[in-house]
Amino acid sequence: MPTSNGDVHGHDSHDTSDGSNENTALLPSFLRGEVAHEGESGRHGFHARHFFSVTYKSSNVVSRYVNFLWPFVPLAIIFRYALSNHPLLIFGMAYVGMIPSANLLGFAGQEFAKKMPKVAGTLIETTFGSLVEIILFVVLIVKHREPGEREDGGNADEGNLIPIIQAAILGSILTNLLLCLGLCFFVGGLRKTTQKFHSAISETGNGLLLVAAFGLLIPSAFYSALKGETTISKSSLGFVILKDKFTPETLQRDILKISQVTSIVLIVAFGCYLLFNARSQHSVFHEVIEMDEHGDLDREEDEARMRYTGTETTVALVISLALVTLLLIYLVEQIEAVVHSGVPDQFLGLILLPLVEKAAEHLTAIDEAYDGVINVALFHCLGPSIQTALFNAPLVVIVGWMLNKPMDLNFEIFMIVLVVLGILVVGNFLRDGESNWLEGALLVIVYVIIAIASWYYPNPDVATSNGIEGLATAADPKNVTIDTALLRDLLRMANLQA
């Protein structure tokens, strides 16, 4: 039976003259399932007026208001070439312009996902939302420069973007788990006193996050446990090598190898997660999401909304991906100027970058929570965190490996502890299967506390210079800071040589 917008109810649609239709399965057979009629547009091809109308209205009211930020996109491009000597202004324009660009990418991903089976569609939507993050990490690692690669012969920290990548990885997880989930609980609790969610999503998600945190923690724990056992080579300071097989360089090489192998294992774990969800299309995951969507308070309004055609969805994805990539390149180009202006590395990576790259996903999840679709909202909070930990972070390590750049998973202990504690706090709130506005407010407060601490946390070159590392890598060995225990050991070795 035709709907008001021309869609046809039912799950079997007639082929068009070219053999394609809006419900044509785009996935392998084991991923194919029941495609809901709300993914149909009732049109074919590309229609400019409908395309811009659908783009403007977006998926919800907040996303619609975000579209008013589109003027910042051309301004960022103009300023990049016309005012290249104003890096902070370029960064600000590109940062704001990223929000509508990422929003379009997220919305196009939603439209594409609605043409898929329920569980597969949700996974695809989450993946499109994470494309911004993947592009950011790849741009950062490509722009990273080792000391020997810097043409201007700058100091040891200039061009070193690996600490920012590491902070952005953990910041992305924290932003999803604390800020986004907290806001979902809060706005959902304002409309309904208590929201109940299914244990299948919360328990599976929290379990995977703990496994991911364990994988990310191992290289950092390995480094912290053994950094005090390394000795300085004779070539660096002129002292005799006590353990010539375990120098700081050896430890760094081992950490890199552990990170690379761990990344492969984590990607395998992510593949298992995808396979589990893909084969769950007729089991509990499918039923939970289907039941949740039937309880959507704005379901009738969503079904009446105009949709992209398949062609328009492709056009929106191509345009948004191109703009996102361009603006991220502009952002990364200005990072050093932003850091020199007084913004700490850790705050930039842990807070600022994850906020803008996750903006579209957060708006979608918060809107779903407000509409009472708490299980889907929870999926949109936990899903990106799982993908960041199990796929995006390992992927950038492997890309660095291919580019011969030492990207590893040796995070600051301060940050890895924050992530582990964040996962435990969220897991405790998910345990009872219910949420309210107070729990949401508490999660947001925890995130604000972390943001404050990250602002005052010293840059990596200060925070991780533990004596040996600082001595081994300092550009000027006459001006270094070491702890007293290490100084006594060095003096004792000097006396033995005398």
Side-chain angles (χ1 to χ4, degrees), residues 34 38 118-119 192 196-201 281 283-297 299 371-376:
E34 205 171 80
E38 62 263 25
K118 291 294 181 185
V119 176
K192 295 176 66 176
K196 298 181 182 294
F197 41 83
H198 202 282
S199 60
I201 293 178
Q281 60 195 40
S283 64
V284 63
F285 271 36
H286 180 83
E287 294 172 6
V288 168
I289 295 175
E290 183 75 29
M291 181 180 61
D292 227 24
E293 290 187 348
H294 279 296
D296 189 347
L297 299 177
R299 182 175 176 82
D371 291 341
V373 196
I374 189 63
N375 285 298
V376 180

Side-chain angles (χ1 to χ4, degrees), residues 5 41-58 107 306-309 312:
N5 65 352
S41 66
R43 300 179 291 111
H44 299 280
F46 182 85
H47 306 274
R49 184 172 63 85
H50 285 90
F51 176 79
F52 287 111
S53 177
V54 174
T55 301
Y56 167 71
K57 293 178 180 178
S58 294
F107 176 60
M306 290 191 300
R307 304 284 181 192
Y308 282 146
T309 64
E312 290 169 350

Side-chain angles (χ1 to χ4, degrees), residues 74-354:
L75 284 176
I77 298 173
I78 293 171
F79 285 9
R80 165 64 177 78
Y81 297 100
L83 298 172
S84 57
N85 57 338
H86 292 78
L88 297 183
L89 187 59
I90 297 171
F91 182 89
M93 291 294 174
Y95 190 89
V96 178
M98 270 293 302
I99 299 174
S101 302
N103 182 63
L104 177 59
L105 178 60
F107 176 60
Q110 289 178 43
E111 290 293 292
F112 186 80
K114 288 185 183 298
K115 304 179 189 301
M116 300 289 119
K118 291 294 181 185
V119 176
T122 304
L123 287 171
I124 290 170
E125 184 179 346
T126 300
T127 300
F128 274 118
S130 293
L131 275 178
V132 179
E133 181 172 273
I134 293 173
I135 295 170
L136 172 64
F137 291 166
V138 171
V139 171
L140 283 168
I141 193 64
V142 169
K143 293 286 186 179
H144 168 77
R145 294 290 179 268
E146 288 295 291
E149 300 174 344
R150 293 162 201 164
E151 299 176 358
D152 57 358
N155 64 52
D157 299 321
E158 290 183 358
N160 181 18
L161 299 178
I162 287 180
I164 294 178
I165 301 174
Q166 293 173 331
I169 290 171
L170 300 186
S172 176
I173 298 173
L174 288 172
T175 302
N176 280 313
L177 290 183
L178 298 177
L179 181 64
C180 184
L181 187 60
L183 289 175
C184 286
F185 285 175
F186 183 79
V187 300
L190 293 179
R191 200 167 185 178
K192 295 176 66 176
T193 306
T194 301
Q195 289 187 309
K196 298 181 182 294
F197 41 83
H198 202 282
S199 60
I201 293 178
S202 60
E203 290 180 4
T204 303
N206 197 59
L208 279 166
L209 283 171
L210 284 173
V211 171
F214 181 81
L216 296 178
L217 174 65
I218 291 303
S220 302
F222 184 91
Y223 176 82
S224 297
L226 296 177
K227 65 182 180 181
E229 301 298 321
T230 58
T231 59
I232 304 166
S233 63
K234 185 174 182 179
S235 59
S236 61
L237 288 177
F239 293 109
V240 173
I241 301 174
L242 297 180
K243 299 178 183 178
D244 56 356
K245 293 185 179 180
F246 199 59
T247 63
E249 293 79 11
T250 304
L251 177 59
Q252 201 64 42
R253 201 161 46 244
D254 291 344
I255 289 293
L256 188 58
K257 291 178 181 177
I258 292 172
S259 299
Q260 292 166 348
V261 176
T262 300
S263 295
I264 295 174
V265 175
L266 289 177
I267 290 178
V268 171
F270 184 69
C272 294
Y273 164 69
L274 289 181
L275 185 62
F276 175 78
N277 283 288
R279 302 188 73 89
S280 298
Q281 60 195 40
H282 294 301
S283 64
V284 63
F285 271 36
H286 180 83
E287 294 172 6
V288 168
I289 295 175
E290 183 75 29
M291 181 180 61
D292 227 24
E293 290 187 348
H294 279 296
D296 189 347
L297 299 177
D298 293 336
R299 182 175 176 82
E300 293 183 2
E301 180 182 340
D302 288 341
E303 288 184 347
R305 193 167 46 80
M306 290 191 300
R307 304 284 181 192
Y308 282 146
T309 64
T311 304
E312 290 169 350
T313 301
T314 303
V315 171
L317 286 172
V318 171
I319 292 174
S320 57
L321 277 173
L323 290 176
V324 162
T325 303
L326 188 65
L327 292 175
L328 283 176
I329 291 173
Y330 293 168
L331 280 177
V332 172
E333 287 177 343
Q334 314 306 326
I335 278 181
E336 288 186 14
V338 173
V339 172
H340 290 159
S341 71
V343 178
D345 279 358
Q346 302 304 298
F347 185 82
L348 181 65
L350 204 64
I351 306 297
L352 289 184
L353 293 181

Side-chain angles (χ1 to χ4, degrees), residues 1-10 37-38 40-42 303-305:
M1 177 178 180
T3 62
S4 58
N5 65 352
D7 290 344
V8 179
H9 285 261
H37 66 81
E38 62 263 25
E40 302 171 0
S41 66
E303 288 184 347
R305 193 167 46 80

